[in-house]
Amino acid sequence: MNNEYDDKLEQSIRFVAKHYKEGCMDAEKAWVKFASKRHISRRVPFVRYILRAAAVLLLLVGLGTFYLWEQNRPDWVAVSTMSGQTKDIYLPDSTLISLAGNSWIRYDVRSYGKERRVVEMKGKAFFQVERNEARPFSVETNLAEVKVLGTSFQVETLGNSIEVNVKTGKVSFTVNEGDKQVILTAGMSAQYSVEKKEMTVLTEEDTNYLSWKTGLLRFSDTPLDKVIEDLNDYYQVKITNRVKKPEAKLTASFNDMPLDEVLMVINQTLDTHLVQETRK
């Protein structure tokens, strides 16, 4: 038994001696290698944790950004009218807008009344604004801005011009181009022309600028040319005077009367020949 064991031990020693290389059994190197692998294995979960946390953080930032954008995104309320149609619109602060035919207004329901009260428009509209000194009311068009605290006034855009008529209170009328500004009070009006690049201010009230809303036309010693102009605007027609009488003036009132009756009264009163032109 001992001889057999000794033979096997001798064979093992000889095998090790035959294949042994100096330095290949360095225990210190083996430990460093082992420790290095252990270190890497500990860092991998930590890196994965960081990446997951970063992904969650980016998701939260994205959701927050989307929420803020969604909250600030305009939510427009728009109202328009067809020819000959009128509409009354109440805003969230009880401001009343009367919209004439072929006109539109819009406002952002999300931001209206927070810092300012702003509406955009085109055409013709009469505003009866609830007073709020902390939040001014503004009407914005492509040509100008009209700003008030609380008053009643009319704004009309006419192609390359804009006109403002003030019924009560005080209005600031500022033109976008050139930054021209005027302050208008009750009974005053102003018109700005893009072509002429000038502002015209009138201190005498135009008695018929609200006739489209009231149905009432009033003339008091009014020149005939002005009478025809107001009739054209109210009835949306074109009237021709076939008998020239430049000195003629009219004093009369017409309350929601048909055009043919109005022309008959004027012609009989002033001995004129006003006719409505036929559209081709």
Side-chain angles (χ1 to χ4, degrees), residues 119-159:
V119 299
E120 298 177 9
M121 68 155 288
K122 184 176 182 180
K124 184 190 293 186
F126 181 70
F127 299 84
Q128 299 177 68
V129 180
E130 286 292 314
R131 189 171 187 84
N132 187 335
E133 295 185 3
R135 294 175 176 83
F137 182 89
S138 296
V139 179
E140 295 181 350
T141 74
N142 62 324
L143 298 178
E145 179 183 20
V146 180
K147 185 182 296 184
V148 302
L149 295 178
T151 183
S152 57
F153 61 98
Q154 177 176 283
V155 178
E156 182 177 10
T157 59
L158 305 161

Side-chain angles (χ1 to χ4, degrees), residues 15 23 33-34 62 72 80 82 98 129 162 168 170 227 233 275:
F15 175 82
K33 187 175 181 180
F34 173 78
N72 294 322
S80 61
M82 298 182 295
S98 298
V129 180
I162 179 172
T168 62
K170 184 186 296 184
V227 173
D233 184 59
V275 294

Side-chain angles (χ1 to χ4, degrees), residues 4 24 93 101 107 175 186:
E4 185 178 353
C24 68
D93 62 345
Y107 66 96
V175 177

Side-chain angles (χ1 to χ4, degrees), residues 22-37:
E22 187 176 357
C24 68
M25 297 296 290
D26 192 327
E28 183 176 353
K29 289 183 179 180
W31 170 252
V32 171
K33 187 175 181 180
F34 173 78
S36 176
K37 290 182 178 180

Side-chain angles (χ1 to χ4, degrees), residues 158-207:
L158 305 161
N160 288 328
S161 65
I162 179 172
E163 183 174 330
V164 178
N165 297 81
V166 181
K167 185 173 180 62
T168 62
K170 184 186 296 184
V171 166
S172 170
F173 180 23
T174 305
V175 177
N176 296 338
E177 185 179 281
D179 202 28
K180 297 180 180 178
Q181 182 184 37
V182 293
I183 303 298
L184 306 174
T185 56
M188 295 179 64
S189 62
Q191 185 180 76
Y192 176 75
S193 170
V194 174
E195 295 177 355
K196 297 180 180 178
K197 296 187 182 302
E198 64 180 20
M199 181 91 72
T200 303
V201 179
L202 301 176
T203 57
E204 185 176 348
E205 184 179 14
D206 182 353
T207 56

Side-chain angles (χ1 to χ4, degrees), residues 12-13 31 53 60 73 97 107 112 125 175 195 198 253 277:
S12 299
I13 292 172
W31 170 252
L60 292 175
R73 182 173 61 88
I97 302 176
Y107 66 96
Y112 185 88
V175 177
E195 295 177 355
E198 64 180 20
S253 295
E277 287 191 3

Side-chain angles (χ1 to χ4, degrees), residues 64-74 110:
T65 302
F66 176 77
Y67 176 78
L68 291 175
W69 176 82
E70 183 69 19
Q71 289 298 307
N72 294 322
R73 182 173 61 88
R110 291 183 188 271

Side-chain angles (χ1 to χ4, degrees), residues 86-126:
T86 61
K87 285 183 180 180
D88 285 345
I89 305 104
Y90 281 96
L91 300 182
D93 62 345
S94 297
T95 288
L96 174 61
I97 302 176
S98 298
L99 203 60
N102 291 324
S103 305
W104 62 260
I105 65 105
R106 70 173 190 169
Y107 66 96
D108 180 5
V109 72
R110 291 183 188 271
S111 63
Y112 185 88
K114 290 184 178 179
E115 293 182 2
R116 299 172 60 207
R117 298 175 291 167
V118 180
V119 299
E120 298 177 9
M121 68 155 288
K122 184 176 182 180
K124 184 190 293 186
F126 181 70

